[in-house]
């Protein structure tokens, strides 16, 4: 995971997000942009994609979601299990849920997993994108702060992912590698 004291790669851009009055620094390749951000009640969501891509038709996506006050109500693994059930309902093909396990990230409990779908529709907030569904693979990490729960994921979509055999040989960087300092999240 990146650390605030490590120098940033020359080809990255820093983004500062405010999640429930908490500052979080993220680092992306220079050709990425914030495509969507919303706080509604006790939920926050921000999604980043490459400059030329749209949320209804992306090849790479990074998302962070915050859930205010949920840290005491659900364990990270249980949250991810529930998320996987919802993911399976959206997936129009074969889905795999591979648990990577529990870890501590800067003193916070977390749980990570890989989710794959051989045919995921192109939609965002009910809006459909162009073309047929694509294969998708994502690395998901749930982090439990002292108060809030956070879901970070980095995903990729593409034709090559339609084959379940190809999915098994792919991997995605853990989403926490984009975060400069998890300690700021409570």
């Amino acid at each position: 995971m990146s650390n605030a004291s490590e120098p940033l790669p020359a080809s990255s851009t820093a983004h500062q997000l405010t999640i429930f009055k908490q500052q979080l620094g993220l680092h992306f390749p220079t050709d990425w942009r914030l495509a969507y951000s919303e706080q509604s009640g006790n939920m926050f969501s921000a999604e980043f994609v490459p400059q030329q891509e749209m949320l209804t038709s992306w090849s790479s996506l990074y998302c962070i979601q915050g859930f205010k006050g949920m840290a005491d109500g659900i364990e990270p693994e249980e949250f991810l299990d529930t998320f996987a059930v919802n993911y399976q309902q959206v997936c129009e093909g074969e889905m795999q849920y591979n648990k990577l396990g529990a870890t501590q990230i800067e003193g916070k409990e977390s749980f990570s997993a890989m989710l794959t779908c051989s045919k995921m529709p192109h939609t965002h907030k009910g809006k459909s994108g162009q073309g047929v569904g694509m294969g998708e693979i994502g690395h998901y990490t749930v982090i439990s702060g002292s108060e809030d729960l956070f879901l970070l994921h980095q995903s990729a979509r593409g034709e090559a992912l339609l084959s379940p055999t190809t999915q098994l040989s792919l991997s995605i960087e853990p989403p926490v590698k984009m975060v400069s300092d998890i300690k700021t999240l409570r």
Side-chain angles (χ1 to χ4, degrees):
M1 174 174 52
S2 293
N3 184 321
S5 63
E6 293 176 8
L8 291 174
S11 62
S12 75
T13 302
H15 291 269
Q16 198 70 21
L17 284 179
T18 302
I19 306 171
F20 311 128
K21 299 182 182 175
Q22 303 164 73
Q23 292 296 307
L24 182 66
L26 298 166
H27 304 284
F28 293 97
T30 54
D31 64 343
W32 279 57
R33 66 182 175 87
L34 175 63
Y36 174 83
S37 179
E38 177 183 24
Q39 182 170 334
S40 178
N42 291 336
M43 186 186 159
F44 171 87
S45 183
E47 296 170 305
F48 295 82
V49 295
Q51 284 288 352
Q52 72 282 7
E53 296 185 7
M54 303 302 290
L55 284 172
T56 53
S57 59
W58 50 265
S59 64
S60 295
L61 172 98
Y62 183 90
C63 178
I64 182 165
Q65 294 176 298
F67 303 91
K68 190 173 185 80
M70 281 190 60
D72 288 334
I74 190 168
E75 294 295 318
E77 181 178 7
E78 183 183 355
F79 184 92
L80 213 44
D81 288 345
T82 302
F83 182 88
V85 169
N86 293 330
Y87 185 93
Q88 185 169 22
Q89 292 173 355
V90 175
C91 178
E92 296 175 347
E94 297 292 319
M95 188 202 99
Q96 292 182 20
Y97 177 40
N98 299 316
K99 293 182 179 187
L100 302 174
T103 58
Q104 287 265 330
I105 300 175
E106 295 189 17
K108 294 172 176 44
E109 296 294 323
S110 74
F111 195 88
S112 294
M114 298 293 290
L115 283 162
T116 60
C117 172
S118 63
K119 186 178 178 189
M120 184 62 81
H122 288 290
T123 60
H124 186 266
K125 295 292 231 177
K127 296 179 184 175
S128 292
Q130 303 296 321
V132 298
M134 304 287 269
E136 180 175 308
I137 182 171
H139 191 294
Y140 292 77
T141 298
V142 176
I143 301 171
S144 184
S146 58
E147 298 175 22
D148 306 325
L149 198 70
F150 302 91
L151 171 64
L152 292 77
H153 78 90
Q154 187 160 346
S155 299
R157 284 186 178 172
E159 292 288 334
L161 301 174
L162 291 174
S163 160
T165 340
T166 305
Q167 289 177 5
L168 295 174
S169 66
L170 291 171
S171 94
I172 299 282
E173 284 279 319
V176 294
K177 288 193 179 236
M178 302 289 204
V179 179
S180 63
D181 189 3
I182 295 287
K183 289 180 206 161
T184 61
L185 299 178
R186 62 170 196 261

